[in-house]
Amino acid sequence: MRVYIGSDHAGFLLKEHVKDHLIEAGHDVVDVGTTSEDPVDYPDYARPVALAVASGEADRGVLICGSGLGMAIAANKVHGVRAVQVTDPEFAVLARQHNDANVLTLPGRYMSPEQADKVVDAFFGTEFEGGRHARRVDKITKIEKGEDA
Ligand code: RB5
């Protein structure tokens, strides 16, 4: 898959690890930064990743900040993005199967590289189930468009 990845300073070290993990797994990875632990603002990295996913330039996105929360909030402002902050592989599976989540956010200050690998593998290795879940995801899209669900 083509994956866009980004982080702020608090997610930088884990971002470097996850990027290597994704490349080793065979993904085509585009890193939008940041490039060090010098303080930056997480929305500046959420935006390009979210736009790439929403436009179809990227199949999936990964965003890492200290908690993963700000990145999820910012990414979800872009229509077409369904970003989820996940710390447990079981929820990564559910986010894919039921919600067709297309952006994964991780908490760089609260997650080991080993746990991140498990969550990433679950997120990238699980397909959307469709069916009744597609009907519900379609209703999320209608909310974005200001239509009645
Ligand atoms: C930066 O200190 C921190 O606020 C940021 O990385 C993130 O956790 C915000 O949600």
Side-chain angles (χ1 to χ4, degrees), residues 67 84-92 104-107 110-111 115-116 119:
S67 63
V84 287
Q85 191 265 28
V86 174
T87 56
D88 184 298
E90 194 172 341
F91 286 87
L104 173 67
T105 78
L106 301 172
Y110 301 92
M111 179 174 266
Q115 184 71 0
V119 170

Side-chain angles (χ1 to χ4, degrees), residues 14 25-26 32 49 51 70 79 102:
L14 188 62
V32 304
V49 170
L51 289 174
H79 289 183
N102 50 19

Side-chain angles (χ1 to χ4, degrees), residues 10-54:
F12 170 68
L13 293 177
L14 188 62
K15 188 254 291 174
E16 294 300 296
H17 173 84
V18 169
K19 180 171 64 177
D20 290 345
H21 185 71
L22 288 167
I23 291 169
E24 278 171 25
H27 296 290
D28 176 16
V29 181
V30 177
D31 183 354
V32 304
T34 189
T35 55
S36 77
E37 293 184 273
D38 294 340
V40 292
D41 299 330
Y42 61 83
D44 295 336
Y45 301 89
R47 186 170 187 272
V49 170
L51 289 174
V53 171

Side-chain angles (χ1 to χ4, degrees), residues 8-10 42 65-71 109:
D8 71 357
H9 53 289
Y42 61 83
C65 60
S67 63
L69 300 173
M71 284 295 201
R109 286 186 175 140

